[in-house]
Amino acid sequence: MRTPIIAALNPIALQFGPFTIHWYGVIIATGVVLALWLAIREGKHQGIPEDYFYDYLLWALPVAIVCARIYYVVFQWPYYAVHPGEIIAIWDGGIAIYGAILGGFLVLCLFCRARHLSLWTMLDVIAPTVILAQGIGRWGNFMNQEAFGVVTTKAALLAQHIPNWIVNQMDIGGQYRVPTFLYESLWDLLGFVLLVLLRHRRRLFRRGEVFLAYVMWYAFGRFFIEGMRTDSLMIGSVIRVSQLLSLVFFVGALVVLLVRRYRGNVPWYQQSK
């Protein structure tokens, strides 16, 4: 087995004695902060007070993290049943974005009900910021050398015009891997740009459809990218959990969109409350 030409990047950002800050956490936090800032800006256009976003995040963030970890642990239970002490070690990776999304969605439903807010409006406001945070968060996987695909060659990676510093990090265990984290990050960032540019176009999105477009965009890309990965959570030895959920979410969002359009009484997104 050959030795990598350049050592892998250090996943630890800072360390003060026993206190360690991992790049994974720094990157995730950066995505969350940027998403919050953008959601507040868009919320002003929709008549949503700034404080509501802070209040929501205080509840949603811990719940999302816990749900993301529970989701991951459940589908990796044979390992964690033998290593129960590692269940809380989220700093080493091992959180599932679908678990976080489901947890955040549940909190948002309860939050909007308590604050007498339109759930569809809040979903429209935060959906583009969520996919932005997802795109940024994938770089935490990059630092941890996870969420990768099958074995490939350095020449194949360079042929895709992938920068050397990314290619070098894809040298995992003495073999170059397909950077599926990168593909998903780029897909998410492209989705963010499209949603932000298009959501205020006159008579394009009805209320709730920015969110539904996000669900379909992300699910569509995730379905195919997940098929390239070698570390997928599985049901049995055939079904990839994320592919199954992606299919369900895509079809579900499309059906909801078509039904709401058929009814024809849903206001346009750019109209303020």
Side-chain angles (χ1 to χ4, degrees):
M1 184 177 295
R2 61 184 177 78
T3 301
I5 298 175
I6 299 177
L9 297 175
N10 189 348
I12 297 176
L14 294 171
Q15 188 161 12
F16 304 98
F19 184 70
T20 302
I21 299 177
H22 292 249
W23 277 114
Y24 188 91
V26 172
I27 293 170
I28 294 295
T30 300
V32 170
V33 171
L34 184 56
L36 175 63
W37 177 66
L38 291 172
I40 289 172
R41 290 189 60 185
E42 178 62 16
K44 291 179 181 178
H45 297 297
Q46 300 299 324
I48 303 173
E50 179 177 339
D51 289 349
Y52 281 21
F53 292 97
Y54 294 115
D55 294 343
Y56 167 67
L57 188 63
L58 286 175
W59 288 99
L61 188 57
V63 172
I65 292 174
V66 170
C67 289
R69 187 59 174 178
I70 291 174
Y71 181 105
Y72 184 85
V73 169
V74 165
F75 290 105
Q76 292 280 50
W77 184 245
Y79 174 84
Y80 288 104
V82 181
H83 304 87
E86 297 182 25
I87 290 177
I88 64 172
I90 61 173
W91 49 85
D92 289 329
I95 59 175
I97 188 62
Y98 271 138
I101 291 173
L102 291 171
F105 178 77
L106 175 61
V107 173
L108 186 63
C109 291
L110 298 174
F111 182 84
C112 287
R113 183 179 181 85
R115 296 297 177 93
H116 305 289
L117 285 172
S118 165
L119 176 61
W120 286 115
T121 299
M122 280 291 286
L123 287 170
D124 280 341
V125 169
I126 68 174
T129 71
V130 170
I131 200 170
L132 172 64
Q134 290 174 253
I136 294 172
R138 280 302 175 194
W139 290 89
N141 298 133
F142 168 72
M143 294 302 300
N144 281 354
Q145 292 187 306
E146 58 192 10
F148 51 78
V150 298
V151 174
T152 185
T153 64
K154 184 174 183 178
L157 296 178
L158 293 175
Q160 299 176 51
H161 305 288
I162 298 174
N164 271 306
W165 57 275
I166 296 179
V167 172
N168 292 330
Q169 187 74 350
M170 288 297 96
D171 189 338
I172 302 171
Q175 294 179 309
Y176 286 99
R177 297 284 188 160
V178 172
T180 48
F181 89 91
L182 176 63
Y183 303 157
E184 185 170 332
S185 178
L186 294 176
W187 180 258
D188 292 346
L189 296 177
L190 177 59
F192 164 73
V193 171
L194 291 175
L195 288 175
V196 168
L197 290 178
L198 297 176
R199 66 181 170 186
H200 291 300
R201 293 289 296 272
R202 184 172 177 81
R203 295 190 177 275
L204 180 60
F205 287 119
R206 290 188 180 275
R207 194 170 302 280
E209 291 181 357
V210 176
F211 166 70
L212 294 173
Y214 150 71
V215 173
M216 288 189 289
W217 178 274
Y218 178 73
F220 183 85
R222 180 63 186 271
F223 180 87
F224 292 102
I225 296 170
E226 188 69 24
M228 304 179 196
R229 290 177 57 169
T230 58
D231 60 344
S232 299
L233 299 176
M234 305 291 291
I235 298 176
S237 58
V238 178
I239 302 175
R240 298 173 187 261
V241 178
S242 290
Q243 280 193 314
L244 177 61
L245 282 180
S246 293
L247 183 60
V248 170
F249 287 155
F250 181 88
V251 173
L254 180 60
V255 169
V256 172
L257 186 149
L258 293 175
V259 169
R260 295 174 87 243
R261 279 275 173 152
Y262 176 76
R263 290 177 178 175
N265 59 350
V266 181
W268 298 101
Y269 174 68
Q270 69 268 22
Q271 295 176 352
S272 60
K273 293 177 61 178

